[in-house]
Structure formats: C-alpha cells, structure tokens
Amino acid sequence: DAGITQSPRHKVTETGTPVTLRCHQTENHRYMYWYRQDPGHGLRLIHYSYGVKDTDKGEVSDGYSVSRSKTEDFLLTLESATSSQTSVYFCATQQGLGEQYFGPGTRLTVT
Amino acid sequence: DQQVKQNSPSLSVQEGRISILNCDYTNSMFDYFLWYKKYPAEGPTFLISISSIKDKNEDGRFTVFLNKSAKHLSLHIVPSQPGDSAVYFCAASAQGGSEKLVFGKGTKLTVNP
C-alpha cells in the first residue's frame, strides 16, 4: 500500500467558493492522478501529473486546476465550485507500469 | 464513447458459489487490464491484472480471463465469500500499462450468506 492521504475527507461548501483538495503520498511515486466518482459514471480522470510541475488534463477537467510543486503533494482546485462538482474525489499514485494506488477519498458537497 | 463497459450494474450470488464479473472493451490498443475492488467510504484497491500476452491470471480465489478476439475479460471469484461484497471496477490501459487507465462504471457484487 502506497501511503496516500487526502484532506479534507469531507467538505461542504457553497456555490461560487474556491475549494482546494490535497493529496499527499509518502512513496515517492512519480505519477499522481485525480479522479471523481459519480453514480452511473464510475471513475473519471480529472487531471494527472507525471512529475513535479508536469501536469495534463483528463477527460473531465473543465472547472478544475491542479498543481504539483513537490513530488509528494498534488493539489486539486475548484476555482468557483458548482453543484455539478458535488462528488467523491480520489487521488491515486503510480510508480511506473501497472497498478495505481488510491487514497481514501474526499466527499465534497456543493450547496 | 465508453471504451470500457461493465454492462451489469449489479450481481448477487450465494456464499460458496462462483461469481463472474464481465467487462468489454472497444479500444484495440488496450493491452493491460486490471480489476479493482471498492468498499463503501474507501478508495479502490487493486485486485488483479492481466497483460494481453496472457489469457489467464490467477491469484488465490481470483482469476481473470482475457479473450482478445472478443475484446472481453472476466473476473471469477471462487468460492465467493460475504466479504467479497463490494463494487468491482474493470480498467484498461495501452502501451503495456504506461498509459492512463480507463475505468468501467463498476459492478456491485453482493454475496449472500
């Protein structure tokens, strides 16, 4: 198990407010990912990183931005939260080929 | 366009019997496949994987079968146990697993005692 923590674990926020979710890993894995999980949609990739300061968009990146200034931290920011961004967010890491390791998730509610 | 499809949203089996979860894919570039298990309020955990150079991979009670010509894979759990009750996600990747994972929507397995 890669040591992956996510903070906060739960958050309720209002429409229009900025929100930042943090993912922290202790395994020095190169790749990091942000997914959202919604009923009927499974896991969808928001953004990913293949190294410090190297990030790229996933399939549902609109309304989200990311930053990775250190190997261990990958931040997901909702600049102006909307109700459609109510979801469970998972961070994952990957060292090379093969499986990704997931964090425990952050449940975000936008009212 | 859904590249990885799990057409059964749910499956219910009796304890001790076999559970068979199915997954279909459309992208012929996929050559590495994974199954993840997810309990409520937890992150997905890796279960088993298979490369396209194989057609079967076993790990204890879990076996994954790959039929490349049909673009189909399945996860067999024998015997099923109540603790196996979870959502199972199929995922696929290209370039031997170096490309991004594409996930199916998941199948909720319930194993009844």
Side-chain angles (χ1 to χ4, degrees), chain B residues 69-89:
Chain B
S69 61
K71 293 189 175 67
H72 176 83
L73 64 155
S74 60
L75 175 68
H76 292 211
I77 306 173
V78 183
S80 301
Q81 299 173 355
D84 295 329
S85 297
V87 176
Y88 289 79
F89 291 100

Side-chain angles (χ1 to χ4, degrees), chain B residues 16-102:
Chain B
R17 305 294 292 269
I18 184 171
S19 295
I20 300 176
L21 296 95
N22 294 303
C23 179
D24 297 295
Y25 62 96
T26 58
N27 189 338
S28 59
M29 300 303 292
F30 289 150
D31 58 6
Y32 189 76
F33 306 89
L34 308 90
W35 285 95
Y36 282 82
K37 178 169 72 173
K38 186 185 179 305
Y39 293 120
E42 294 184 11
T45 56
F46 169 73
L47 196 55
I48 193 169
S49 63
I50 188 167
S51 164
S52 61
I53 63 173
K54 294 184 174 182
D55 54 17
K56 177 182 173 181
N57 189 26
E58 285 182 83
D59 185 1
R61 296 187 296 115
F62 302 90
T63 303
V64 57
F65 295 91
L66 175 62
N67 183 333
K68 291 183 288 293
S69 61
K71 293 189 175 67
H72 176 83
L73 64 155
S74 60
L75 175 68
H76 292 211
I77 306 173
V78 183
S80 301
Q81 299 173 355
D84 295 329
S85 297
V87 176
Y88 289 79
F89 291 100
C90 170
S93 175
Q95 301 283 349
S98 64
E99 290 289 310
K100 303 182 296 294
L101 294 183
V102 179

Side-chain angles (χ1 to χ4, degrees), chain A residues 37 40 45 48 97 100 102-103, chain B residues 36 38 43-44 98 100-101 105:
Chain A
Q37 186 196 6
L45 181 64
Y48 63 102
L97 302 179
Q100 295 179 11
F102 284 81
Chain B
Y36 282 82
K38 186 185 179 305
S98 64
K100 303 182 296 294
L101 294 183
K105 294 183 179 182

